[in-house]
Amino acid sequence: MTNHSTKTTGSKKTTGSKPAARRQRRSRRGVGLGLRDFPTFKAVSYLVFAFLYLPLVFVVAYSFNSNRVVSVWRGFTFSWYSEVLGNDDIQRALFNSLRIGVVATVVSVVLATGLAIGLLTMARAGRTFAWTLIGAPLIIPEIVFAIGTLALFVQSRIPLGVNAITLAHIAFCVPFALLPIRARLRGVDPAVYEAAADLGAGEFTIFRRMTLPLLAPGIVAGALLAFIISLDDFIVSYFLAGPGGTTLPVYIFGMIRNAVTPGVNALSTLMLVASILIVSLSYLLARKRR
Amino acid sequence: MDASASALSVRDVTKTFHTPEGGLVHALDSVSLDIAEGSFMVLLGPSGCGKTTLLRCIAGLESPDSGQIALRGQRIDDMPVWRRRVNTVFQSYALFPHMTVAQNIAFGLQMDKVPGDIIKVKVEESLDMVHLSGLGSRKPSQLSGGQQQRVALARALAKEPEVLLLDEPLSALDLKLRRGMQSELKRLQRETSITFVLVTHDQDEAMAMGDQVAVFNAGRIVQVGEPREVYLRPRSRFVADFIGEANVLTGVLDTFGLVVESLGLVPRDRLIADTDAASGRVHVAVRPENVSLQIDPVGTAKVTDVSYVGGDMRVEALASAVSIVSRVPSQGVQPPRIGDRVSISFAEGSLTVVAD
C-alpha cells in the first residue's frame, strides 16, 4: 500500500521524463517480471477464496432461516439453535464426541510426546524410517484405515461403540499430535540438556524442568490439533459407531438422510465456530510462546 | 609437575569414535595433562584435534574409553555429570530459553539445594560480577550475543566450581567484542582464582589468555608450556607452523653450525643453546622477526614479495629452492624492492630444532 503511494508521487514529480520514472519503478521492484501487473492472478485468488468459503457462508446464513425448506429464505430466526441445543439425541451425540475427543487427545498426546523424545535416541537411519512410518497415516486414505480397524475389531471381538471409536481415534490422532511436538523438539539446542546436567540436574529433573516446559507449547498445539481431528472425524466413527456410539458428525449425517432442515445448518455452524475457536487458540499459543 | 598440587590431572585418557562409514577416529590418544590450581590453561589446536573431546570428558558429557581423570586428587571419571564440581560454559551458551536470566543463574544453585534467600543474593552478586545488574528479569532472547555470553559465565561461576571449563566461548562474538571479553575472562579468573580450562582454535586468543597452553594435534598433546615458550621454542614442525608464522629449514648440524642447502653455514650461536644433543640432519624453525635481510648485490636470495602488516614490513625472499620470510618494523628502514638481491642473517639464539 505505502509502496504504491510513494510510486505515484514519485512519477508525478518526474513528469516529462516518463522513461526515467519507469526505469526507477522497475529497479525498485528488482529483477524479474512485474508479476503484479498481471490482472489474472488476482482474479484467481478471489475465485479460490469464494470456492473455499461460499459453502460455509451458505451454511451459516441459512442456519438463521425461518423456513423449513432449507434453500428458500423466508426470515431471520434463532429458533433452530434452541431446537438443536434442546434435542436429547444431539446432546447425547455431542457428549459422545466430547468424551471420545478428550480421551483420545490426552492419550495420543502422551504417546506422541514419549514417541518424539524416544525417537531422538534412535540411530539416524532407523529414525528416518520411523518418522516416515509414523507420518504415513496422514496420507493413507481414511476409508482404508476405517475398514482395517473395523475388520480388526470384529476379528478380535472388541465390541463396537464409544470405546472402539476412542481406540481408533487415539491411533490416528498420534501423528497429528506429533507434528507440533516434533517441530518444537527440533528447535531446542541439545546443549541445553547438557548444561542442565552440568549444573547438577539428574535425568528426572531435566525432564521436568527442561524438556516438558520447552515442549509445552508444542504439546498444547498438538493436543488442540488432535482434539479437532477427533471431533471432526466422520468415516472412522461411522464404521465403528455400533449401538449407542453415535458421534455428532455421524448424527448430522443421519439428519440429512431423513430430511434437510435448517437445524443441520445450525448444528454445523456450532461445530464450525468451535473448530475455529480451537484452531485460533492453538495458533495464538504457538505464536505467544515463541 | 607434582600431581597432588594440580587442580586437575588427566592420565592416559583415550577416546575413540566410530564414524558413520564404519571407521575409527582416535579423538584422544593416551592424553596426559596436569593443570595447576588457580591457573588459566588453554587447550589449542585445529578443529577435530580432540581438544573439545577432552573438555567433555572432564565435564562428564563424554566418557573416556580408558585412562583416569582426577579433580584435586579425587578420581571423577566414573562420576555422573551432575555430581562433578566442574562447570562448563558452552559454545552455544545453552541458556535456558524458557527462564529469565536470574532463573538461569539460580538453576545450578537450586540443584545444590541452596536456600532461596541465599540464592537471591548470589544471583545478584553473579550478575554484578559480569556487569549485568538489573537485567535479571530479561529472557535470554532479549539479550545481545555478548550479554548472553556473560550470563552463561555467571551461571557457571555461581556454582563456584573447582574448575571452570570453557568450550570456544568467544567464537560467536565479533572481533572487537572478543578482545574485550578476553581481558574480561582473565580478570574474572584472577578475581575468583578458579582454575580455568579454555578450548580454542585461535592461537592469538590462546597466547593472549593462557598461563599455560597445551597444543593438540590429531588426538595428542604435542606441547605444553607458557605461551612465550611455546612460541619461541616450538618442539615440532606442527607447533611452529600452527602458532604464528615460522620458517622451517632443513640442514645438517655439526659442531661448527648448521649447513642449510642454498643458504650456507649458519653459525652455532644462532641456535638455541640446549640443542647441543642434536646432530646430523635436522629441521629448525625460526620466527620471521628473527630473520633480517640486507640489500646486497651478491646476496644469495632474491626478494619475491613485500607487504605491510600492521606496523611491520613482511618480506619474502627466495634462495634457489628455499623460501624465507622476514618481518621487521617498517619505521626507518629502507624497504627492499621485489627483485632486489639480499643476504640473509639470523638473530642470535633464534633457531630451534624441531621434530618433523
Side-chain angles (χ1 to χ4, degrees), chain A residues 189 191-192 194-202 205 209-210 213-214, chain B residues 56 82 87-88 90 92 94-99 107-108 110 155 159:
Chain A
D189 177 7
V192 161
E194 293 188 339
D198 185 73
L199 290 167
T205 311
R209 299 215 37 199
M210 300 291 145
L214 285 170
Chain B
R56 290 174 64 83
W82 57 87
N87 289 112
T88 310
F90 290 83
S92 63
L95 298 179
F96 308 138
H98 58 300
M99 297 184 184
F107 184 82
Q110 288 163 358
R155 185 175 69 177
K159 299 246 315 181

Short mmCIF file of all heavy atoms in Angstrom, two decimals, chain A residues 189 191-192 194-202 205 209-210 213-214, chain B residues 56 82 87-88 90 92 94-99 107-108 110 155 159:
data_model
loop_
_atom_site.label_atom_id
_atom_site.label_comp_id
_atom_site.label_asym_id
_atom_site.label_seq_id
_atom_site.Cartn_x
_atom_site.Cartn_y
_atom_site.Cartn_z
N ASP A 189 18.11 -26.42 21.39
CA ASP A 189 19.53 -26.72 21.34
C ASP A 189 19.83 -27.87 22.30
O ASP A 189 19.60 -27.74 23.50
CB ASP A 189 20.29 -25.45 21.74
CG ASP A 189 21.79 -25.65 21.81
OD1 ASP A 189 22.26 -26.73 21.42
OD2 ASP A 189 22.48 -24.72 22.25
N ALA A 191 22.39 -28.77 23.62
CA ALA A 191 23.32 -28.37 24.67
C ALA A 191 22.58 -27.89 25.92
O ALA A 191 23.15 -27.89 27.01
CB ALA A 191 24.24 -27.27 24.15
N VAL A 192 21.32 -27.50 25.76
CA VAL A 192 20.53 -27.06 26.91
C VAL A 192 20.41 -28.19 27.94
O VAL A 192 20.56 -27.97 29.14
CB VAL A 192 19.13 -26.59 26.46
CG1 VAL A 192 18.15 -26.57 27.62
CG2 VAL A 192 19.22 -25.20 25.84
N GLU A 194 22.48 -30.72 28.21
CA GLU A 194 23.82 -30.95 28.76
C GLU A 194 24.13 -29.90 29.82
O GLU A 194 24.72 -30.22 30.86
CB GLU A 194 24.86 -30.88 27.64
CG GLU A 194 24.74 -32.00 26.64
CD GLU A 194 25.88 -32.03 25.65
OE1 GLU A 194 26.56 -31.00 25.46
OE2 GLU A 194 26.10 -33.10 25.05
N ALA A 195 23.74 -28.66 29.55
CA ALA A 195 24.00 -27.58 30.50
C ALA A 195 23.27 -27.86 31.82
O ALA A 195 23.82 -27.65 32.90
CB ALA A 195 23.58 -26.24 29.92
N ALA A 196 22.04 -28.34 31.72
CA ALA A 196 21.26 -28.63 32.93
C ALA A 196 21.95 -29.72 33.74
O ALA A 196 22.09 -29.62 34.97
CB ALA A 196 19.85 -29.04 32.56
N ALA A 197 22.42 -30.78 33.04
CA ALA A 197 23.13 -31.87 33.74
C ALA A 197 24.41 -31.33 34.35
O ALA A 197 24.76 -31.64 35.48
CB ALA A 197 23.44 -33.00 32.76
N ASP A 198 25.10 -30.48 33.59
CA ASP A 198 26.36 -29.90 34.05
C ASP A 198 26.16 -29.07 35.33
O ASP A 198 27.02 -29.01 36.18
CB ASP A 198 26.92 -29.02 32.93
CG ASP A 198 28.29 -28.47 33.26
OD1 ASP A 198 29.25 -29.25 33.24
OD2 ASP A 198 28.40 -27.27 33.58
N LEU A 199 24.98 -28.44 35.43
CA LEU A 199 24.71 -27.61 36.59
C LEU A 199 24.15 -28.42 37.75
O LEU A 199 23.77 -27.88 38.78
CB LEU A 199 23.73 -26.48 36.22
CG LEU A 199 24.32 -25.42 35.30
CD1 LEU A 199 23.24 -24.53 34.72
CD2 LEU A 199 25.35 -24.57 36.04
N GLY A 200 24.06 -29.74 37.57
CA GLY A 200 23.71 -30.59 38.71
C GLY A 200 22.35 -31.25 38.64
O GLY A 200 21.91 -31.84 39.62
N ALA A 201 21.67 -31.18 37.50
CA ALA A 201 20.35 -31.78 37.41
C ALA A 201 20.44 -33.25 36.98
O ALA A 201 21.18 -33.58 36.06
CB ALA A 201 19.49 -31.01 36.41
N GLY A 202 19.66 -34.11 37.65
CA GLY A 202 19.57 -35.51 37.26
C GLY A 202 18.58 -35.67 36.12
O GLY A 202 17.94 -34.70 35.70
N THR A 205 14.94 -34.50 36.81
CA THR A 205 14.85 -33.03 36.93
C THR A 205 14.95 -32.38 35.56
O THR A 205 14.25 -31.41 35.25
CB THR A 205 15.98 -32.51 37.83
OG1 THR A 205 16.01 -33.29 39.01
CG2 THR A 205 15.77 -31.06 38.17
N ARG A 209 12.11 -29.97 34.34
CA ARG A 209 12.39 -28.53 34.30
C ARG A 209 12.88 -28.03 32.95
O ARG A 209 12.91 -26.82 32.71
CB ARG A 209 13.38 -28.17 35.39
CG ARG A 209 12.79 -28.50 36.77
CD ARG A 209 13.17 -27.54 37.83
NE ARG A 209 13.25 -26.16 37.43
CZ ARG A 209 13.90 -25.25 38.14
NH1 ARG A 209 14.53 -25.59 39.22
NH2 ARG A 209 13.92 -24.00 37.75
N MET A 210 13.32 -28.94 32.06
CA MET A 210 13.76 -28.51 30.73
C MET A 210 12.83 -29.05 29.64
O MET A 210 12.15 -28.31 28.96
CB MET A 210 15.19 -28.99 30.44
CG MET A 210 16.21 -28.46 31.40
SD MET A 210 16.44 -26.68 31.19
CE MET A 210 16.72 -26.22 32.89
N PRO A 213 8.74 -28.09 30.00
CA PRO A 213 8.40 -26.69 29.72
C PRO A 213 8.79 -26.24 28.32
O PRO A 213 8.08 -25.43 27.71
CB PRO A 213 9.18 -25.90 30.78
CG PRO A 213 9.99 -26.85 31.54
CD PRO A 213 9.58 -28.24 31.20
N LEU A 214 9.91 -26.78 27.80
CA LEU A 214 10.32 -26.36 26.46
C LEU A 214 9.36 -26.92 25.40
O LEU A 214 9.12 -26.31 24.38
CB LEU A 214 11.75 -26.82 26.17
CG LEU A 214 12.83 -26.00 26.88
CD1 LEU A 214 14.19 -26.66 26.75
CD2 LEU A 214 12.88 -24.59 26.31
N ARG B 56 35.00 -32.31 27.23
CA ARG B 56 33.74 -33.01 27.51
C ARG B 56 33.95 -34.22 28.40
O ARG B 56 33.08 -34.59 29.18
CB ARG B 56 33.05 -33.40 26.21
CG ARG B 56 32.50 -32.19 25.44
CD ARG B 56 31.95 -32.57 24.08
NE ARG B 56 30.81 -33.46 24.17
CZ ARG B 56 29.56 -33.07 24.37
NH1 ARG B 56 29.29 -31.80 24.47
NH2 ARG B 56 28.59 -33.95 24.45
N TRP B 82 26.34 -34.68 36.82
CA TRP B 82 25.73 -33.74 37.76
C TRP B 82 26.40 -33.75 39.14
O TRP B 82 26.11 -32.92 39.97
CB TRP B 82 24.23 -33.98 37.88
CG TRP B 82 23.85 -35.38 38.29
CD1 TRP B 82 23.73 -35.86 39.56
CD2 TRP B 82 23.51 -36.46 37.42
NE1 TRP B 82 23.37 -37.16 39.54
CE2 TRP B 82 23.22 -37.56 38.24
CE3 TRP B 82 23.44 -36.61 36.03
CZ2 TRP B 82 22.85 -38.81 37.73
CZ3 TRP B 82 23.07 -37.84 35.52
CH2 TRP B 82 22.79 -38.92 36.36
N ASN B 87 32.15 -26.96 36.15
CA ASN B 87 31.06 -26.42 35.34
C ASN B 87 31.57 -25.92 34.00
O ASN B 87 32.74 -25.62 33.84
CB ASN B 87 30.32 -25.31 36.09
CG ASN B 87 29.50 -25.87 37.23
OD1 ASN B 87 29.80 -25.65 38.40
ND2 ASN B 87 28.48 -26.66 36.91
N THR B 88 30.63 -25.88 33.04
CA THR B 88 31.01 -25.62 31.66
C THR B 88 30.31 -24.38 31.11
O THR B 88 29.13 -24.15 31.39
CB THR B 88 30.63 -26.83 30.78
OG1 THR B 88 31.13 -28.01 31.38
CG2 THR B 88 31.20 -26.70 29.39
N PHE B 90 29.22 -23.30 27.55
CA PHE B 90 29.09 -23.96 26.25
C PHE B 90 29.30 -22.99 25.10
O PHE B 90 29.03 -21.80 25.23
CB PHE B 90 27.71 -24.62 26.14
CG PHE B 90 27.56 -25.81 27.03
CD1 PHE B 90 27.22 -25.65 28.37
CD2 PHE B 90 27.77 -27.09 26.56
CE1 PHE B 90 27.08 -26.74 29.20
CE2 PHE B 90 27.65 -28.19 27.38
CZ PHE B 90 27.30 -28.01 28.71
N SER B 92 27.59 -22.71 22.43
CA SER B 92 26.33 -22.09 22.02
C SER B 92 25.66 -21.39 23.20
O SER B 92 24.50 -21.01 23.12
CB SER B 92 25.40 -23.16 21.46
OG SER B 92 25.08 -24.10 22.47
N ALA B 94 23.97 -22.28 25.50
CA ALA B 94 22.99 -23.21 26.06
C ALA B 94 22.22 -22.60 27.22
O ALA B 94 21.97 -23.25 28.23
CB ALA B 94 23.68 -24.51 26.50
N LEU B 95 21.81 -21.33 27.07
CA LEU B 95 20.96 -20.72 28.10
C LEU B 95 19.58 -21.36 28.01
O LEU B 95 19.15 -21.79 26.95
CB LEU B 95 20.87 -19.21 27.88
CG LEU B 95 22.21 -18.47 27.97
CD1 LEU B 95 22.00 -16.99 27.72
CD2 LEU B 95 22.85 -18.68 29.33
N PHE B 96 18.88 -21.41 29.15
CA PHE B 96 17.55 -21.99 29.16
C PHE B 96 16.57 -20.94 28.64
O PHE B 96 16.31 -19.95 29.32
CB PHE B 96 17.18 -22.44 30.57
CG PHE B 96 18.23 -23.33 31.20
CD1 PHE B 96 18.61 -23.17 32.51
CD2 PHE B 96 18.85 -24.33 30.44
CE1 PHE B 96 19.59 -23.99 33.08
CE2 PHE B 96 19.83 -25.15 31.00
CZ PHE B 96 20.19 -24.97 32.32
N PRO B 97 16.00 -21.14 27.44
CA PRO B 97 15.23 -20.07 26.81
C PRO B 97 13.92 -19.75 27.53
O PRO B 97 13.38 -18.66 27.38
CB PRO B 97 14.96 -20.60 25.39
CG PRO B 97 15.14 -22.07 25.48
CD PRO B 97 16.13 -22.33 26.59
N HIS B 98 13.41 -20.73 28.31
CA HIS B 98 12.12 -20.50 28.97
C HIS B 98 12.29 -19.89 30.35
O HIS B 98 11.31 -19.71 31.06
CB HIS B 98 11.35 -21.82 29.05
CG HIS B 98 12.09 -22.89 29.79
ND1 HIS B 98 13.32 -23.37 29.37
CD2 HIS B 98 11.79 -23.58 30.91
CE1 HIS B 98 13.74 -24.31 30.20
NE2 HIS B 98 12.83 -24.46 31.15
N MET B 99 13.52 -19.57 30.73
CA MET B 99 13.75 -18.99 32.05
C MET B 99 14.36 -17.60 31.89
O MET B 99 15.03 -17.32 30.90
CB MET B 99 14.72 -19.85 32.85
CG MET B 99 14.22 -21.24 33.16
SD MET B 99 15.44 -22.08 34.20
CE MET B 99 14.70 -23.69 34.33
N PHE B 107 19.40 -21.72 38.69
CA PHE B 107 19.14 -23.15 38.48
C PHE B 107 20.18 -24.06 39.13
O PHE B 107 19.84 -24.98 39.87
CB PHE B 107 19.06 -23.44 36.97
CG PHE B 107 18.71 -24.86 36.65
CD1 PHE B 107 17.38 -25.28 36.67
CD2 PHE B 107 19.70 -25.79 36.33
CE1 PHE B 107 17.05 -26.59 36.38
CE2 PHE B 107 19.36 -27.10 36.04
CZ PHE B 107 18.04 -27.50 36.07
N GLY B 108 21.45 -23.77 38.87
CA GLY B 108 22.52 -24.61 39.41
C GLY B 108 22.54 -24.60 40.93
O GLY B 108 22.84 -25.61 41.57
N GLN B 110 19.88 -24.06 42.85
CA GLN B 110 18.71 -24.83 43.29
C GLN B 110 19.04 -26.32 43.31
O GLN B 110 18.62 -27.05 44.19
CB GLN B 110 17.52 -24.58 42.37
CG GLN B 110 16.91 -23.20 42.54
CD GLN B 110 16.02 -22.82 41.37
OE1 GLN B 110 15.88 -23.57 40.41
NE2 GLN B 110 15.40 -21.65 41.46
N ARG B 155 26.30 -18.02 35.17
CA ARG B 155 25.58 -19.22 35.57
C ARG B 155 26.56 -20.30 36.02
O ARG B 155 26.32 -20.98 37.03
CB ARG B 155 24.75 -19.73 34.38
CG ARG B 155 23.87 -20.90 34.70
CD ARG B 155 23.01 -21.27 33.53
NE ARG B 155 23.79 -21.85 32.43
CZ ARG B 155 23.27 -22.31 31.31
NH1 ARG B 155 21.96 -22.26 31.12
NH2 ARG B 155 24.03 -22.82 30.38
N LYS B 159 28.12 -21.40 40.73
CA LYS B 159 28.25 -22.65 41.49
C LYS B 159 29.62 -22.78 42.14
O LYS B 159 29.88 -23.78 42.81
CB LYS B 159 28.04 -23.86 40.56
CG LYS B 159 26.69 -23.92 39.91
CD LYS B 159 25.83 -25.07 40.33
CE LYS B 159 26.48 -26.41 40.38
NZ LYS B 159 25.54 -27.48 40.77
#
